[in-house]
Amino acid sequence: RGRRPIVQQSWDGVLEDIKSGKAMFGILPIEHSVSGMIIQTVDFLFAQCDELQIVHELPIVDNLCLMGKVDNIVDARTVYSHQSLLDGCKRLIATMPDVVAVP
């Protein structure tokens, strides 16, 4: 109650907020329904195992949005995203022959 989420740009930022007491918990992606385990998160947690522990799992349904500055999706040429998210959108991207996906 009265607490607000803190957005961090990196997993290290999440760790620092927990260690400093700024945050009680952090949420990190550990598995993606399409691409499987997110190895970067697993490696990060393994490296921090003396300071962090997993206390709960939050299953989240993926609803992804494609955003851009073009007026029409057919004008898109490049999609930039994390590889896991690109994997989750591969059927849509496959319907766009002029688009290059860049992780």
Side-chain angles (χ1 to χ4, degrees):
R1 185 175 197 174
R3 296 198 173 128
R4 298 172 43 139
I6 302 167
V7 177
Q8 281 295 339
Q9 299 301 314
S10 68
W11 297 319
D12 289 328
V14 173
L15 174 64
E16 289 305 316
D17 282 352
I18 294 169
K19 285 169 53 175
S20 71
K22 185 176 180 181
M24 293 177 62
F25 299 99
I27 298 174
L28 298 174
I30 196 163
E31 186 175 14
H32 189 270
S33 58
V34 173
S35 58
M37 293 294 264
I38 299 175
I39 299 303
Q40 298 93 330
T41 305
V42 174
D43 289 346
F44 174 80
L45 291 173
F46 182 74
Q48 305 301 329
C49 65
D50 59 328
E51 299 180 63
L52 294 177
Q53 62 183 3
I54 297 172
V55 296
H56 191 71
E57 178 181 357
L58 302 169
I60 298 174
V61 176
D62 293 335
N63 291 311
L64 306 175
C65 299
L66 180 61
M67 301 181 299
K69 292 186 175 185
V70 295
D71 292 329
N72 191 314
I73 194 168
V74 298
D75 296 327
R77 296 293 173 256
T78 309
V79 174
Y80 296 91
S81 189
H82 188 278
Q83 185 63 54
S84 296
L85 299 177
L86 292 171
D87 290 345
C89 298
K90 63 184 169 189
R91 282 186 286 163
L92 171 65
I93 294 171
T95 67
M96 304 164 67
D98 297 327
V99 168
V100 174
V102 179

